[in-house]
Amino acid sequence: MPPTGRVVIVVDACVVLPTINEADNIAILIPALHYYLGSIPHEVVVVDDASTDGTPKIASELGAFVIERPMRLGLGSAIHTGVMHCVRANALVAVVMDADLQHPPITVPKLVKACVGGSDVCVGVRVGRESLPPHRRLVSRVAEFLGELAYGDGVPDLMSGFFAINLGTMRDYILDFNPTPRNYKYLLEFLLFLRRRGVVPRVANIPYRQLGRLSGSSKMGIGEVTAYLTTVL
């Protein structure tokens, strides 16, 4: 029995993948995460919102911890459910990424190591968006601009959706954080929450090249966009 108050680290990295019908993509992504994380003790957590293509079953067969939810409850809610699982598992770092292969798994160990090295939050920063269609690039740039207006402080790409949180330093704040369920920009909302608490986190920016979605379609709906605008405006 550990002493009272002591946090026992079960895994170093806990990777959260929110999913809705991503069977083809996670069949590639989860093995890639196991490969690139290599000797780093880790767990992959899939938070699935009522997929109909067998995503939970495939994820489980590939060794992921699967949390199945009966309906679409929102991306912000899915991310927070996964991060809270990481907290309960006493993980050192929670990594959040898309399950559609647009976030390269080879970058995940860099996010983990930056947090282990002392950063409170590590943000994946896109350095190339050629794979996105023109309208997606425009939407991405506008969302990024609004995010910078809302937060600033030298974080150039709060909208990428690819980030890591040091649970060793941020655990208590995560426990107090209550995100907007349908807000698709969890990180921005968390950083604004920290600012209201008077906390200035140590942020590391990790560059990556965004890839194209291999299979399926974007799950971003009007509810997520509305919640994001409410956050930044």
Side-chain angles (χ1 to χ4, degrees):
M1 180 71 66
T4 302
R6 180 183 175 189
V7 175
V8 179
I9 303 301
V10 176
V11 294
D12 287 351
C14 182
V15 183
V16 177
L17 304 176
T19 60
I20 302 175
N21 294 329
E22 296 286 2
D24 291 343
N25 292 322
I26 64 165
I28 298 170
L29 177 57
I30 293 176
L33 286 169
H34 292 321
Y35 175 79
Y36 286 116
L37 285 166
S39 61
I40 299 173
H42 66 278
E43 180 179 43
V44 177
V45 181
V46 169
V47 183
D48 186 81
D49 276 8
S51 287
T52 57
D53 66 347
T55 293
K57 181 176 184 294
I58 292 171
S60 180
E61 290 173 348
L62 292 171
F65 183 90
V66 179
I67 301 172
E68 294 189 62
R69 309 198 304 174
M71 63 188 71
R72 297 189 180 191
L73 298 174
L75 181 57
S77 169
I79 292 173
H80 196 59
T81 295
V83 172
M84 287 298 293
H85 170 85
C86 298
V87 169
R88 289 191 293 270
N90 291 317
L92 184 60
V93 179
V95 179
V96 176
M97 65 189 300
D98 291 346
D100 58 9
L101 297 175
Q102 294 193 72
H103 296 151
I106 195 173
T107 306
V108 171
K110 298 177 184 178
L111 293 170
V112 173
K113 290 175 183 177
C115 281
V116 172
S119 297
D120 299 312
V121 175
C122 301
V123 183
V125 178
R126 290 167 287 190
V127 295
R129 307 185 200 199
E130 297 84 358
S131 62
L132 293 176
H135 72 281
R136 286 289 307 280
R137 288 200 297 270
L138 176 61
V139 170
S140 176
R141 292 294 188 187
V142 171
E144 183 179 326
F145 173 72
L146 292 174
E148 289 177 359
L149 285 180
Y151 185 75
D153 285 354
V155 185
D157 194 0
L158 286 167
M159 303 300 104
S160 76
F162 191 19
F163 60 92
I165 298 174
N166 183 338
L167 297 179
T169 58
M170 294 284 105
R171 181 180 185 275
D172 288 345
Y173 298 110
I174 287 291
L175 290 173
D176 287 341
F177 180 46
N178 185 28
T180 306
R182 291 182 66 84
N183 192 342
Y184 74 99
K185 294 308 174 187
Y186 181 94
L187 177 60
L188 173 61
E189 196 169 1
F190 180 60
L191 290 174
L192 292 173
F193 164 79
L194 291 178
R195 175 177 287 173
R196 291 192 294 271
R197 292 293 188 91
V199 177
V200 181
R202 296 162 293 183
V203 179
N205 297 317
I206 307 297
Y208 76 96
R209 186 166 297 277
Q210 185 168 0
L211 307 174
R213 168 183 275 275
L214 181 66
S215 177
S217 59
S218 174
K219 309 305 186 295
M220 187 189 305
I222 188 64
E224 282 77 13
V225 174
T226 301
Y228 171 66
L229 292 176
T230 300
T231 300
V232 300
L233 297 178

